[in-house]
Amino acid sequence: AQVTISHGNARVTAALPTGESVVVLLHGATVISWKDASGDEKLWLSEAAHLDGSKAVRGGIPLVFPVFGAGSNGEKTKDLPQHGFARNARWEFLGKSTSEGDSANVVKLDFGLSSESLADEYQKAWPYRFGLLYSVTLTRESLTTTIVITNDGDEPFEFQTLLHTYFRVKDISQVSIDGFDGAPYIDQLANRAAKTHAGAITFDGELDSIYTPAGGPKQEVTLSEGGRRRVRLVRDNLEDVVVWNPHVAKAAGMADFAPKDGWRNMVCIEAGSVRGWQRLDKGDAFEGAQTIHL
Ligand code: BG6
């Protein structure tokens, strides 16, 4: 038995012989499905998500680059769309690799995007030369997504990046997220007030905050439901974690969010570097990653 790959015009699907699978849209290199061996879906994807490239995907794992949110870097980011252009650009599938000696239990898919292949409007809005290499690695018990950003031009640039994972849950009121005790955070619903979190994160309304876990990028984040641990998120070189649930009103206001009570079945836990700005000088590279363990 072998890893199977199908590469259509719009998406790449990979499956392990044991049944685990992942689907990545070339639009945004957005992971839109990740299933375990029993076919259980781990990611939330809106029923009204646009998968035809006309809009960023509502669900799965959109990739945020080079700016998080509306941007706060003055002139340099003012013309960029919310969360940047990477999730709105068509990426190239660069191929798959399996690991020697373990070829039935792991598959890695590589995707690329560079400034040259970017739509004119985005090149104008962000006139730097860069390369992005995004790898999605599926194993029997985990999914890893890795972003490598290179500065291929002469000018230094500043960026933010984030892996905007929408986790599927059964009931948000039963969810608790650990790893944030003592974490400083920015409350995006309270005028970006700076606060400090204590204990686990639970949900009784809208939540939209940027945490910087006190244990640093190596601090694990765990998602539990009904007291049972569901997933464990391990970061590499990504110091911030955004946690977001839109609740009733925000969900109602998003045309591509369906069903309207879908906020009960999702939570975004987003590993990234978004509180400040990463600077890349000519020829330099930045690498950040997350591994989600079942
Ligand atoms: C989160 C932000 O990362 O993304 C939220 O913290 C935002 O403020 C959410 O609402 C969704 O953003 P978008 O652009 O996909 O609607």
Side-chain angles (χ1 to χ4, degrees):
Q2 281 189 337
V3 165
T4 52
I5 305 271
S6 71
H7 173 203
N9 184 37
R11 58 179 68 190
V12 180
T13 301
L16 300 181
T18 36
E20 297 83 356
S21 64
V22 65
V23 181
V24 186
L25 269 196
L26 294 181
H27 182 69
T30 315
V31 178
I32 54 166
S33 168
W34 170 34
K35 290 180 181 167
D36 68 13
S38 68
D40 191 40
E41 178 62 59
K42 304 301 166 192
L43 303 176
W44 185 84
L45 178 66
S46 167
E47 289 170 8
H50 296 256
L51 302 180
D52 61 356
S54 60
K55 212 179 170 296
V57 177
R58 175 70 59 204
I61 314 181
L63 180 64
V64 170
F65 175 88
V67 65
F68 172 72
S72 55
N73 212 6
E75 284 296 303
K76 292 184 195 130
T77 54
K78 72 173 183 10
D79 294 329
L80 287 171
Q82 154 107 345
H83 288 341
F85 50 67
R87 66 178 184 163
N88 269 312
R90 188 181 164 96
W91 290 59
E92 190 186 349
F93 178 46
L94 302 175
K96 63 132 196 190
S97 47
T98 47
S99 122
E100 231 177 286
D102 200 17
S103 61
N105 294 316
V106 49
V107 59
K108 176 163 153 298
L109 306 172
D110 288 331
F111 300 87
L113 178 70
S114 66
S115 33
E116 289 92 89
S117 58
L118 211 55
D120 286 350
E121 52 169 321
Y122 297 142
Q123 287 198 33
K124 277 202 200 92
W126 209 68
Y128 301 100
R129 290 200 53 209
F130 66 88
L132 298 183
L133 174 64
Y134 186 55
S135 305
V136 176
T137 306
L138 174 71
T139 77
R140 295 194 62 188
E141 270 110 33
S142 68
L143 187 75
T144 299
T145 65
T146 305
I147 179 81
V148 179
I149 301 160
T150 50
N151 184 343
D152 300 336
D154 296 324
E155 296 285 310
F157 60 70
E158 289 179 339
F159 68 91
Q160 295 173 321
T161 189
L162 171 132
L163 306 165
H164 197 302
T165 310
Y166 286 76
F167 288 95
R168 171 176 286 279
V169 299
K170 289 198 179 70
D171 177 1
I172 190 71
S173 72
Q174 298 298 307
V175 166
S176 73
I177 307 176
D178 281 291
F180 299 102
D181 193 33
Y185 71 101
I186 294 171
D187 187 342
Q188 304 212 88
L189 302 176
N191 266 323
R192 298 184 56 86
K195 302 178 179 177
T196 303
H197 191 75
I201 294 177
T202 53
F203 298 82
D204 57 5
E206 188 184 354
L207 187 98
D208 187 354
S209 294
I210 304 169
Y211 301 85
T212 306
K218 295 291 169 199
Q219 166 77 55
E220 275 186 19
V221 171
T222 56
L223 166 61
S224 303
E225 204 170 348
R228 226 186 110 233
R229 193 170 84 186
R230 295 272 313 279
V231 295
R232 195 159 57 86
L233 181 83
V234 177
R235 292 165 294 139
D236 184 19
N237 200 31
L238 296 173
E239 68 270 23
D240 305 317
V241 182
V242 178
V243 178
W244 178 58
N245 181 281
H247 206 68
V248 183
K250 275 271 167 69
M254 288 184 273
D256 61 352
F257 195 100
K260 281 300 162 199
D261 65 354
W263 58 269
R264 294 183 195 277
N265 304 116
M266 52 74 68
V267 60
C268 286
I269 307 178
E270 315 161 19
S273 176
V274 296
R275 204 171 159 141
W277 293 87
Q278 294 281 348
R279 182 190 153 105
L280 266 192
D281 288 320
K282 174 182 179 171
D284 281 355
F286 170 93
E287 177 167 345
Q290 67 171 355
T291 296
I292 308 164
H293 297 271
L294 295 177

